[in-house]
Amino acid sequence: MDYSKLISVENIFQAWEEFKKGKRNKRDVQVFERNLEDNLFGLHATLTNKSYKHGGYFEFFVNDPKRRHIHKAEVCDRIVHHLLYKYLYSIFDKSFIFDSYSCRLNKGTHKAVKRLEYFSQKLSNNYTQDFWALNLDIKQFFASVDHGILKSLIKEKVDDENILWLISQVINSFPANGGSAPRGIPLGNLTSQIFANIYLNELDQFIKHDLKIKYYLRYADDFMILDNGASQLLHYNDILKSFLAENLKLELHPAKISIRKFSCGIDFCGYVVLPHYVLPRTKTKRRIFNKVLESRISEQALQSYLGYFYHANSYGIRNDLKNTFYLMV
């Protein structure tokens, strides 16, 4: 796809339709929609003559439960994000490894946990022996993404100079650190999801093809390696620490390096995988029950919480949650 096709009026209107889902009651979206055709044709004009400039961000914090700093772009820019996300996803997703689970079609946390169950059964020889799991996390990943490295990785598969210009407009809109090596992609941009997978695909490829590690999974910047020996995992930890620093200018979070036996439970993507069964994470379970007890949550929220528990061995917990909810109504 060339630039003119990417920014066609048809694609811009399609991006708007995708963007507005679930957002029609938001004030900024309603204001934009009052003059929808003028705004979309205006966006097309600025993209065509390359006078488009990405706007600023509205900042706020969310607790989910970890406190996160979110940057929300203007409606016009988020439509551009949808254009680029769809385009980049179609190009890059086929090159990603199977066991990358974040922000990909037919993947997600539940598929990651199912895959971990499958790996665990194989590595434990059908639960007859123990093994070890190394869990690693990248320190301040989104704030640390190097703009130069990210652009060079995208340029390997995108050769249209105009599309590269537009991608740069989005990347350059958010330097967390100024100076000679700007860094950072914002939590809140749809494009940040595909940028993250493009960036960390370098790590995935190194682990799978250079180190030839068979039992490996990644969800966003949280990744895991399984092995029969703890000493081998410590060796991998040292290698990956050097690889990330030298190739991606990233750092492992020193407080989030964990090596655990399978028999003690492997914590990943909100669940704890043990021989023969999966449990919800204790902190998550406690937080959900506290929310039900402290506030009158909606029926929709209840179903969402039940959906989380459904993917674990939690029949009794689900019944307790429903009973608690209906007592509080």
Side-chain angles (χ1 to χ4, degrees):
M1 181 188 295
D2 62 15
Y3 183 69
S4 60
K5 176 65 175 175
L6 174 68
I7 65 159
S8 67
V9 171
E10 179 185 6
N11 273 351
I12 289 174
F13 271 83
Q14 180 62 37
W16 159 256
E17 291 297 324
E18 293 168 0
F19 159 75
K20 72 178 182 181
K21 291 176 182 177
K23 304 183 185 73
R24 297 295 290 272
N25 63 336
K26 303 294 184 182
R27 179 165 174 75
D28 56 348
V29 177
Q30 292 173 347
V31 170
F32 187 89
E33 195 168 17
R34 288 174 192 165
N35 299 291
L36 179 62
E37 291 193 359
D38 287 346
N39 287 329
L40 293 182
F41 279 109
L43 174 60
H44 176 258
T46 62
L47 291 172
T48 300
N49 62 31
K50 294 176 70 176
S51 63
Y52 168 78
K53 293 188 183 301
H54 196 289
Y57 291 89
F58 171 71
E59 302 179 39
F60 59 96
F61 289 90
V62 298
N63 296 294
D64 63 345
K66 187 167 74 173
R67 186 170 172 83
R68 297 182 185 274
H69 195 185
I70 306 298
H71 290 78
K72 178 181 174 183
E74 297 173 5
V75 171
C76 188
D77 297 319
R78 284 185 280 165
I79 294 170
V80 173
H81 298 169
H82 274 262
L83 282 175
L84 288 177
Y85 177 86
K86 192 172 181 180
Y87 168 76
L88 290 171
Y89 189 97
S90 69
I91 293 173
F92 282 92
D93 188 71
K94 61 179 72 76
S95 67
F96 297 156
I97 67 168
F98 181 86
D99 288 308
S100 165
Y101 289 90
S102 175
C103 305
R104 299 179 66 195
L105 294 173
N106 301 313
K107 296 290 183 176
T109 56
H110 299 134
K111 289 288 181 69
V113 173
K114 282 291 181 185
R115 184 69 163 170
L116 176 55
E117 283 187 88
Y118 171 74
F119 281 171
S120 299
Q121 186 173 7
K122 291 199 70 175
L123 201 52
S124 67
N125 194 19
N126 203 26
Y127 309 126
T128 60
Q129 60 192 50
D130 221 340
F131 64 88
W132 298 82
L134 170 67
N135 196 302
L136 300 170
D137 188 282
I138 295 171
K139 185 178 180 180
Q140 296 182 330
F141 168 69
F142 283 90
S144 303
V145 170
D146 183 278
H147 287 191
I149 294 174
L150 176 59
K151 289 177 184 178
S152 68
L153 292 173
I154 292 172
K155 200 169 184 179
E156 289 178 8
K157 292 185 179 294
V158 178
D159 56 10
D160 187 303
E161 290 300 323
N162 291 322
I163 295 178
L164 289 171
W165 166 81
L166 183 56
I167 292 170
S168 290
Q169 287 291 316
V170 175
I171 295 174
N172 295 343
S173 70
F174 186 80
N177 300 291
S180 59
R183 295 184 175 196
I185 52 177
L187 276 169
N189 277 9
L190 179 63
T191 47
S192 293
Q193 298 176 6
I194 188 67
F195 289 159
N197 276 336
I198 291 170
Y199 207 83
L200 290 176
N201 185 52
E202 297 300 294
L203 171 67
D204 297 340
Q205 299 297 335
F206 176 72
I207 287 174
K208 295 298 291 184
H209 298 123
D210 290 72
L211 299 182
K212 301 188 184 304
I213 294 172
K214 185 175 182 180
Y215 299 108
Y216 165 75
L217 309 98
R218 180 177 63 81
Y219 187 90
D221 60 339
D222 185 4
F223 54 105
M224 175 172 289
I225 299 171
L226 311 177
D227 196 272
N228 288 317
S231 59
Q232 182 62 52
L233 291 178
L234 287 170
H235 178 58
Y236 288 147
N237 179 73
D238 293 337
I239 293 173
L240 295 176
K241 181 179 179 180
S242 297
F243 174 83
L244 288 168
E246 294 169 10
N247 294 274
L248 297 175
K249 298 183 181 178
L250 298 174
E251 179 184 351
L252 289 175
H253 199 306
K256 295 185 178 180
I257 298 171
S258 169
I259 298 181
R260 288 178 62 86
K261 276 187 175 181
F262 176 46
S263 56
C264 296
I266 304 174
D267 190 331
F268 192 59
C269 288
Y271 297 89
V272 179
V273 176
L274 290 133
H276 300 289
Y277 58 98
V278 177
L279 295 178
R281 186 181 286 163
T282 302
K283 287 183 179 179
T284 306
K285 172 188 166 184
R286 186 183 303 121
R287 189 173 72 252
I288 288 173
F289 273 86
N290 285 341
K291 280 189 175 182
V292 173
L293 289 168
E294 293 169 4
S295 62
R296 293 189 176 186
I297 64 168
S298 66
E299 181 81 33
Q300 184 178 7
L302 171 67
Q303 294 306 319
S304 176
Y305 294 149
L306 289 172
Y308 162 75
F309 287 123
Y310 177 79
H311 292 276
N313 298 91
S314 58
Y315 177 79
I317 296 173
R318 279 179 278 148
N319 282 340
D320 288 345
L321 183 65
K322 285 187 281 188
N323 291 336
T324 302
F325 172 81
Y326 291 116
L327 283 171
M328 296 298 294
V329 173

